[in-house]
Amino acid sequence: MDGTLGLINDNFFDGVSLLLSAGALLFAALAHRVAKQALATAKMSDVAALKLKAHEGRERAEKSFLSLQTACHDTRSQWCRHHDRHYSTLGSRDFRQDDTRHISEIENEGRTLLRPLELGLSELGTMDVAALEDYIQQAHRTAARIEQLRFRLSPPKQLFA
């Protein structure tokens, strides 16, 4: 019995340090698992934020197109008033259409620019991070190009001051 107590007494600190080491390893494994879950959650959050930015970019491009359509409508109305005031109603329709043809061309160009952005929400959901970032940049470029189209609209020149 004295030998057993001596053996336990001699190895007590080794046993306690072994138990503490095992507990530390267990806690390290749990911390590693929690860190992996946090990383996965952060990645999902980043992708969700990119999806939101992509959706906002598409909305900005659509608003730019609606603004362009409004400007086209206003310019077309100015041309109609101009023709009504300064030319007879029996005048050539071709002449009137020549003056306003550029408006339709600009509006169609804006519609053509917007078309590649027409993805459904399910298609946005399947994109990876790189594709979402490319889509966001494309949406911003498209919105800027559509906004620039407004500057190509030419209202009628005033004949009388």
Side-chain angles (χ1 to χ4, degrees), residues 2-157:
D2 224 9
T4 308
L5 285 175
L7 184 64
I8 292 174
N9 198 18
D10 289 342
N11 295 324
F12 177 74
F13 290 113
D14 291 337
V16 170
S17 65
L18 182 64
L19 285 174
L20 288 174
S21 298
L25 284 174
L26 179 65
F27 284 121
L30 289 173
H32 185 306
R33 187 172 74 188
V34 168
K36 283 175 53 177
Q37 288 175 345
L39 181 63
T41 303
K43 284 182 181 178
M44 288 175 30
S45 175
D46 290 345
V47 170
L50 285 174
K51 288 178 186 177
L52 181 63
K53 281 185 178 180
H55 186 68
E56 289 171 350
R58 181 177 63 192
E59 282 183 350
R60 178 178 171 229
E62 289 172 349
K63 285 180 183 177
S64 295
F65 180 67
L66 290 175
S67 176
L68 175 68
Q69 282 184 316
T70 302
C72 288
H73 176 63
D74 292 344
T75 305
R76 210 176 268 117
S77 296
Q78 290 174 7
W79 274 105
C80 284
R81 283 192 304 275
H82 176 78
H83 287 140
D84 290 344
R85 285 184 191 151
H86 301 292
Y87 300 103
S88 69
T89 56
L90 299 176
S92 172
R93 288 302 264 173
D94 293 336
F95 180 70
R96 289 178 180 225
Q97 288 176 351
D98 287 344
D99 288 340
T100 59
R101 180 174 291 126
H102 78 283
I103 299 170
S104 299
E105 291 170 355
I106 289 171
E107 193 171 2
N108 287 335
E109 188 175 341
R111 188 174 289 111
T112 302
L113 287 171
L114 191 61
R115 195 166 292 129
L117 297 178
E118 293 175 351
L119 297 177
L121 292 177
S122 62
E123 293 175 23
L124 278 178
T126 60
M127 289 181 166
D128 63 346
V129 173
L132 282 169
E133 288 174 347
D134 289 342
Y135 183 84
I136 292 167
Q137 289 178 357
Q138 180 184 7
H140 288 299
R141 282 192 307 267
T142 300
R145 289 179 65 193
I146 290 173
E147 289 169 4
Q148 289 173 351
L149 288 175
R150 294 180 69 189
F151 297 115
R152 290 182 26 205
L153 291 172
S154 59
K157 306 260 188 295

